[in-house]
Amino acid sequence: MENGGIEEADDALPVPTPLNGRRYRPVGSSDRAVIQMTPMEPGSSSAASIDAVVTPQPPRNLKPDANLTVDPSMREGSPDDHATSGGSQGDSKLELFGFDSLVNILGLKSMTGEQIQAPSSPRDGEDVAITIGRPKETGPKFGTMMGVFVPCLQNILGIIYYIRFTWIVGMAGVWQSLVLVSFCGACTFLTGISLSAIATNGAMKGGGPYYLIGRALGPEVGVSIGLCFFLGNAVAGSMYVLGAVETFLDAVPSAGLFQKSVTVVNNTLVNGTETAGTSTISTPSLHDLQVYGVIVTILLCFIVFGGVKIINKVAPAFLIPVLFSLLCIYLGVFIAPRHNAPKGITGLSITTFKDNWGSEYQRTNNAGVPDPSGSIYWDFNALVGLFFPAVTGIMAGSNRSASLKDTQRSIPIGTLSATLTTTAMYLFSVLLFGALATREELLTDRLLTATVAWPAPAVIYIGIILSTLGAALQSLTGAPRLLAAIANDDILPVLNYFKVSEGSEPHAATLFTAFICTCCVVIGNLDLITPTITMFFLLCYAGVNLSCFLLDLLDAPSWRPRWKFHHWSLSLVGALLCVVIMFLISWSFTVVSLALASLIYYYVSIKGKAGDWGDGFKSAYFQLALRSLRSLGDFANCMKKKGRGMSIFVSIIDGDYHELAEDAKTACRQLDAYIDYKRCEGVAEIIVAPTMSDGFRSIVQTMGLGNLKPNIVVMRYPEIWRRENLTQIPSTFVSIINDCIIANKAVVIVKGLDEWPNEYQRQYGTIDLYWIVRDGGLMLLLSQLLLTKESFESCKIQVFCISEEDTDAEELKADVKKFLYDLRMQAEVIVVTMKSWESHMERWESHMESSSTGAQQDDSHEAYTSAQQRIRTYLDEMKETAQRERQPLMENGRQVVVNEQKVDKFLYTMLKLNSTILRYSRMAAVVLVSLPPPPLNHPSYFYMEYMDLLVENVPRMLIVRGYTRDVVTFFT
């Protein structure tokens, strides 16, 4: 068998006849999935017969007024409903494992982001028909170039470079301009590194930076910063529109409806001396900017309504002329001065470069024209606020993360490439402009880039207009998707108007964004708008850096970014740079923006709903709670090396508490000493109860402290129950599993605990996962945690998917491989197909006529027939007792229902799975398989027979049943 292949399991096994049952309704796109990440680390069991090891989960905020709705068609069946169940169109061989079978491709899709309701598992008397089909197409997907690099480049190469950058060089001088560009570029580059690390830690849904911050710092912080970032994008759109209109009116003054001329007393500072004189400079009227700006905004909105596909088709038409205009600028710089050039343009000159080396800060009017009586005084801090929007396009790609084919590859490469490219261009331009023209020319010629361009200024005018319109288009595209992503998380009910279904365009959010953009266009002052944008963007960048810093600091097992060029110190420096820049620009703007974010945070915490995910703050609270417990001396060595959880080792003593209290204390000390001897990190507890079942039921309800509740129960498989004739074990075993299911605790049953390797016994085989049901990812998480141990670190993971013969195995394999890739898991995927019941019956009839079966099949058949015979003997005894006592079938004081055809079917299911495991995983270091729930009203003895048949001849196995919530998700 080739690695990652698709195999067909052996079918020469007995088959019972199929039964009828009910079908589940199809999975709808509006159904909801709950996602949470919870760390867990496997531990050793103690020496008691059945010992529970429980690990606590991080605290969650619970809303007392939460509404719970249950779809009647998805409720678990009851015995009364069985008689009314209709015939099924096809049986599932894995019926015992429940509806959540990977045979249903939609079940897998639910783990990869499809919002579906977690279905209940069918019990005895219920059958399941699986609905198979391809998922709904979610619209066009784009790669690195068109999905990230081009949008980032269009946003970064905006209006600031064309109509303000030469002015900035003239005001700050060459060396301070280099510092300014490096300072702002370092902030965005470090933010890009943090963004890349978080984006490669798992798949990213729509919402870009909001999604990253919300999943790391919690919904309150995520929504508050996300809404501020939305406002920043919406306002940035108005800045780009005003830049395009201002350039158009400068290029074509006759197009102005309202003409405005400003006469300036030009006492400008040139090389430390005042140059007296007057000049008349024509600037666009505020009313012209408002009228044309509103018209352009409306036209852009029509393009945005066409969707991402239309925008990506239009994007090259905007970008190519921009790149050509940049080339024309550089050509004009190198051939300057031309015959008709102003006197202030000297061409590349070392003398001019020296004259412009230092800064000459001075006053200007509202249009940026130098004026000693002007109302605005410029310094380095003010220039930071003016220039920073020129580097704030790095989030353009991540804003459209839902439209990317591969976010983990496209976002890092596209974002950092665009950042480095534009930063290098800015630094190079500072040197060129500083040597090109005198300071007076730099300060007074608003479109110096057009003046020097070759062959004519018209090329630059076109480039500027298209550049700014392209950047405005990207802002008006990203902002509505950001708002829709916040609304879809259902945190703030007030945002429900902006919700969109998957693959749909956010039309309502686009209209709202256009409204905000239009309001800012009416203001008409470009230099007033840019500091506001800067604050909103810096808040978002600080949030991204803090998110990466927190994830690095907590070092959770789920934090495994593919982007390795990051460190918590870089994220911390990036966050500090953001804060420093905010206060450098304006402490008043900083206070206002922080106050706005705080008000949103407070509103979300009061009115918002709890998020369906864990976050860094909750994990930090969990770690602080553990430290507090350790400081009290009640819990020692609670912290895990990797999982950072805590374990409680529990043993149960049968008897009366008053009589056995002292024995329990002695046993607790012995168990604690045994835990230390085995070098396990955990706490010992002894429970005295009348029966094992009663003791465990007390544990599952009361164990833990406050929100530090157990979420996983680990116990040893009772391999000796038949050999030692422990007749109470089946009922106790089933009772414990049912209690865990009712209490929503995960269950891990260890078979072969005596053969479990210690830290000195290195394993070199494989860790094989027979992933049959959608268990919330617990089995995947366990396999990853095993790899962190020295014993298993040399092993490789193989994932086996059991599928029906009529399932598209190649599609299932591709889905699982994509899912594992998004989870950052390195594993081989093997799909094992099974024949239908009818095919099995036909083949079995022909097989009975021949005797050419191997020893493995003979052994499996012998185990099957032995189990079948024992069950029949046990059933005959139950029937005899029932007839003698004139009662229905009873087991341990409770009524049971036996369907003999179902019994044979369940036996066959376990036999088939055991044969598959022995065929493919005989040499595996450990096998993980899904735990089937005990069928309702089914004899416990029968269930133990099923389980014995499953684990037959498998030396080391973990049998896993997860939660209704996901414990592992690639949504970071």
Side-chain angles (χ1 to χ4, degrees):
M1 177 188 67
E2 297 181 358
N3 288 337
I6 299 174
E7 295 293 323
E8 180 179 318
D10 293 334
D11 302 302
L13 298 171
V15 185
T17 57
L19 299 175
N20 293 331
R22 70 181 178 90
R23 299 196 331 172
Y24 282 80
R25 68 175 177 84
V27 179
S29 60
S30 62
D31 294 339
R32 185 165 180 81
V34 183
I35 297 176
Q36 179 186 5
M37 181 176 290
T38 306
M40 176 271 176
E41 185 166 354
S44 300
S45 177
S46 65
S49 57
I50 296 183
D51 298 329
V53 182
V54 292
T55 57
Q57 59 186 358
R60 293 179 54 84
N61 295 327
L62 300 178
K63 297 291 184 180
D65 56 347
N67 295 324
L68 301 177
T69 59
V70 180
D71 191 330
S73 65
M74 299 297 290
R75 287 177 181 167
E76 188 174 78
S78 63
D80 297 335
D81 299 329
H82 297 162
T84 61
S85 62
S88 65
Q89 297 177 354
D91 282 318
S92 169
K93 290 173 289 303
L94 302 175
E95 175 192 350
L96 180 58
F97 284 86
F99 172 72
D100 299 337
S101 173
L102 280 186
V103 175
N104 186 347
I105 299 177
L106 291 179
L108 177 63
K109 291 296 183 183
S110 66
M111 298 189 68
T112 59
E114 296 284 341
Q115 293 185 341
I116 71 168
Q117 184 176 355
S120 60
S121 298
R123 294 298 186 93
D124 183 55
E126 298 183 63
D127 203 356
V128 177
I130 303 298
T131 302
I132 300 175
R134 294 194 62 86
K136 177 183 176 181
E137 295 294 333
T138 58
K141 298 291 185 179
F142 303 99
T144 302
M145 179 60 69
M146 295 305 300
V148 180
F149 183 78
V150 169
C152 287
L153 204 63
Q154 282 189 308
N155 261 28
I156 296 174
L157 293 178
I159 187 62
I160 301 298
Y161 178 77
Y162 286 101
I163 69 176
R164 289 292 186 270
F165 197 61
T166 55
W167 184 90
I168 290 174
V169 174
M171 188 69 71
V174 174
W175 80 269
Q176 289 197 22
S177 296
L178 291 174
V179 172
L180 174 64
V181 173
S182 302
F183 190 54
C184 297
C187 178
T188 55
F189 182 73
L190 292 176
T191 304
I193 291 177
S194 298
L195 176 68
S196 301
I198 302 176
T200 57
N201 190 50
M204 197 167 72
K205 292 175 64 178
Y210 153 73
Y211 194 87
L212 301 178
I213 296 172
R215 267 53 181 181
L217 302 182
E220 295 86 357
V221 178
V223 171
S224 57
I225 296 181
L227 287 178
C228 288
F229 189 60
F230 159 74
L231 292 175
N233 275 278
V235 176
S238 66
M239 179 189 72
Y240 298 129
V241 169
L242 287 175
V245 173
E246 184 177 326
T247 304
F248 170 73
L249 293 175
D250 281 338
V252 188
S254 60
L257 304 176
F258 308 91
Q259 193 69 28
K260 178 181 180 182
S261 297
V262 180
T263 301
V264 179
V265 179
N266 192 20
N267 290 337
T268 59
L269 288 172
V270 179
N271 298 329
T273 61
E274 289 190 359
T275 302
T278 61
S279 61
T280 300
I281 301 176
S282 177
T283 59
S285 168
L286 174 63
H287 301 302
D288 285 334
L289 293 175
Q290 293 170 337
V291 172
Y292 282 103
V294 171
I295 295 174
V296 171
T297 303
I298 294 174
L299 293 176
L300 290 177
C301 286
F302 279 112
I303 299 178
V304 174
F305 267 96
V308 178
K309 190 174 183 179
I310 300 299
I311 294 169
N312 277 6
K313 288 182 178 179
V314 175
F318 286 97
L319 183 61
I320 292 174
V322 171
L323 298 178
F324 180 72
S325 68
L326 292 176
L327 177 62
C328 293
I329 292 174
Y330 291 137
L331 288 176
V333 168
F334 283 108
I335 65 175
R338 300 203 300 274
H339 66 280
N340 58 347
K343 294 182 180 180
I345 299 178
T346 64
L348 296 178
S349 168
I350 189 66
T351 303
T352 305
F353 186 81
K354 291 180 179 179
D355 291 341
N356 292 331
W357 180 255
S359 61
E360 294 288 352
Y361 295 113
Q362 52 191 292
R363 290 186 177 275
T364 68
N365 60 13
N366 290 333
V369 179
D371 185 354
S373 61
S375 60
I376 302 176
Y377 178 77
W378 293 91
D379 56 10
F380 182 82
N381 296 352
L383 289 183
V384 172
L386 178 62
F387 174 73
F388 196 83
V391 296
T392 55
I394 63 172
M395 296 292 184
S398 61
N399 283 347
R400 297 159 31 152
S401 54
S403 301
L404 299 178
K405 293 179 182 177
D406 187 354
T407 57
Q408 298 188 38
R409 181 180 184 274
S410 297
I411 289 180
I413 296 176
T415 301
L416 293 178
S417 297
T419 302
L420 292 176
T421 300
T422 52
T423 301
M425 188 195 74
Y426 285 147
L427 293 173
F428 183 59
S429 298
V430 169
L431 301 177
L432 292 181
F433 294 151
L436 175 67
T438 63
R439 190 180 304 275
E440 182 179 0
E441 189 70 24
L442 292 172
L443 292 174
T444 57
D445 192 343
R446 297 167 56 85
L447 286 170
L448 181 62
T449 53
T451 304
V452 301
W454 179 89
V459 176
I460 303 306
Y461 292 141
I462 296 174
I464 294 174
I465 293 173
L466 291 178
S467 169
T468 51
L469 291 180
L473 195 62
Q474 297 297 337
S475 295
L476 293 175
T477 302
R481 281 158 177 75
L482 178 61
L483 182 61
I486 298 174
N488 284 343
D489 274 341
D490 201 22
I491 302 299
L492 277 181
V494 73
L495 300 179
N496 288 341
Y497 298 103
F498 305 114
K499 285 185 177 181
V500 293
S501 59
E502 187 173 358
S504 302
E505 292 295 326
H507 295 309
T510 301
L511 288 175
F512 185 64
T513 304
F515 172 75
I516 295 176
C517 184
T518 303
C519 292
C520 294
V521 166
V522 172
I523 296 176
N525 191 331
L526 189 65
D527 296 329
L528 178 63
I529 291 175
T530 51
T532 308
I533 301 170
T534 300
M535 292 300 169
F536 289 144
F537 280 118
L538 284 171
L539 271 177
C540 178
Y541 295 169
V544 171
N545 284 296
L546 285 176
S547 300
C548 187
F549 170 73
L550 184 61
L551 291 170
D552 261 329
L553 196 65
L554 293 175
D555 193 25
S558 58
W559 177 239
R560 301 190 310 276
R562 283 194 171 98
W563 183 259
K564 301 301 181 183
F565 303 101
H566 79 283
H567 191 265
W568 64 265
S569 58
L570 296 178
S571 301
L572 181 59
V573 171
L576 292 176
L577 275 178
C578 293
V579 175
V580 170
I581 291 175
M582 291 177 70
F583 281 97
L584 278 179
I585 295 171
S586 171
W587 67 268
S588 57
F589 271 98
T590 302
V591 171
V592 170
S593 59
L594 291 176
L596 177 61
S598 301
L599 286 175
I600 299 175
Y601 178 92
Y602 180 75
Y603 179 77
V604 174
S605 62
I606 297 298
K607 299 292 185 180
K609 300 178 182 178
D612 292 330
W613 61 85
D615 56 70
F617 281 152
K618 293 176 182 177
S619 180
Y621 296 153
F622 175 60
Q623 302 300 327
L624 290 175
L626 288 182
R627 291 182 183 179
S628 299
L629 292 174
R630 290 173 61 193
S631 66
L632 292 174
D634 296 332
F635 292 87
N637 300 321
C638 298
M639 303 294 291
K640 292 291 185 181
K641 180 180 180 182
K642 291 291 184 181
R644 296 196 175 191
M646 75 182 207
S647 298
I648 306 175
F649 293 80
V650 182
S651 185
I652 303 172
I653 300 178
D654 295 346
D656 182 79
Y657 176 71
H658 294 283
E659 298 177 358
L660 300 175
E662 292 300 323
D663 293 340
K665 294 179 182 178
T666 302
C668 187
R669 289 192 295 268
Q670 293 174 348
L671 180 57
D672 190 57
Y674 182 79
I675 293 172
D676 291 338
Y677 169 73
K678 286 294 187 179
R679 302 174 66 180
C680 300
E681 296 179 348
V683 179
E685 291 288 346
I686 300 294
I687 301 295
V688 180
T691 65
M692 184 84 68
S693 298
D694 292 337
F696 183 81
R697 195 164 290 122
S698 300
I699 293 171
V700 81
Q701 295 182 73
T702 61
M703 187 63 71
L705 180 62
N707 282 327
L708 297 176
K709 295 292 186 182
N711 63 354
I712 297 177
V713 175
V714 182
M715 62 181 177
R716 181 173 187 163
Y717 185 78
E719 303 173 47
I720 62 173
W721 73 277
R722 182 181 292 110
R723 184 173 68 248
E724 300 296 333
N725 196 27
L726 302 175
T727 56
Q728 293 300 317
I729 288 296
S731 60
T732 302
F733 185 74
V734 170
S735 174
I736 290 176
I737 295 176
N738 282 327
D739 289 345
C740 291
I741 294 174
I742 293 173
N744 192 26
K745 310 294 184 185
V747 183
V748 179
I749 301 173
V750 185
K751 195 265 184 180
L753 188 60
D754 294 335
E755 305 297 328
W756 200 261
N758 57 36
E759 63 270 24
Y760 305 109
Q761 297 173 326
R762 188 175 296 271
Q763 305 295 306
Y764 293 95
T766 59
I767 299 175
D768 290 354
L769 280 66
Y770 285 81
W771 194 19
I772 300 174
V773 302
R774 189 173 67 85
D775 62 350
L778 180 58
M779 191 184 301
L780 299 175
L781 180 60
L782 282 174
S783 66
Q784 290 298 307
L785 292 175
L786 285 175
L787 289 181
T788 65
K789 300 302 181 182
E790 294 181 2
S791 303
F792 295 96
E793 64 183 3
S794 300
C795 295
K796 296 181 179 180
I797 297 178
Q798 293 185 139
V799 177
F800 292 84
C801 299
I802 311 297
S803 70
E804 306 270 3
E805 65 171 348
D806 54 351
T807 302
D808 189 340
E810 288 290 349
E811 181 186 10
L812 178 59
K813 178 183 174 183
D815 289 340
V816 175
K817 290 181 69 174
K818 177 61 168 61
F819 177 70
L820 296 177
Y821 170 78
D822 289 334
L823 286 176
R824 296 91 65 205
M825 283 187 61
Q826 298 293 331
E828 296 178 0
V829 178
I830 301 171
V831 177
V832 180
T833 60
M834 290 185 178
K835 297 293 184 181
S836 66
W837 289 106
E838 292 77 8
S839 299
H840 277 304
M841 288 165 37
E842 293 175 0
R843 294 187 63 178
W844 173 246
E845 291 176 358
S846 61
H847 170 73
M848 291 299 293
E849 299 176 359
S850 64
S851 57
S852 57
T853 57
Q856 176 181 314
Q857 284 74 18
D858 289 340
D859 292 342
S860 300
H861 183 240
E862 181 181 354
Y864 171 82
T865 54
S866 299
Q868 199 173 39
Q869 183 61 42
R870 287 192 298 268
I871 286 178
R872 287 174 179 170
T873 302
Y874 187 82
L875 180 59
D876 290 341
E877 293 176 356
M878 291 178 60
K879 291 180 177 179
E880 182 180 345
T881 302
Q883 291 177 355
R884 183 175 61 252
E885 298 179 358
R886 296 182 179 180
Q887 291 181 346
L889 290 179
M890 304 289 291
E891 183 189 54
N892 297 323
R894 67 183 183 92
Q895 184 176 350
V896 296
V897 178
V898 177
N899 184 322
E900 296 187 35
Q901 289 182 327
K902 284 286 186 182
V903 172
D904 288 339
K905 190 174 182 180
F906 290 162
L907 279 174
Y908 172 82
T909 300
M910 291 307 191
L911 171 63
K912 187 69 176 177
L913 184 57
N914 176 262
S915 300
T916 303
I917 293 174
L918 293 178
R919 178 182 180 185
Y920 297 114
S921 305
R922 187 176 290 272
M923 302 304 295
V926 62
V927 175
L928 287 80
V929 68
S930 302
L931 171 69
L936 191 65
N937 297 328
H938 210 64
S940 303
Y941 180 86
F942 292 6
Y943 184 76
M944 286 302 300
E945 290 287 356
Y946 306 154
M947 296 301 298
D948 275 357
L949 196 55
L950 174 65
V951 303
E952 182 77 19
N953 296 324
V954 182
R956 196 179 297 143
M957 177 183 285
L958 297 181
I959 313 169
V960 182
R961 180 168 181 86
Y963 317 90
T964 57
R965 295 179 183 271
D966 292 341
V967 297
V968 60
T969 170
F970 50 63
F971 303 137
T972 52

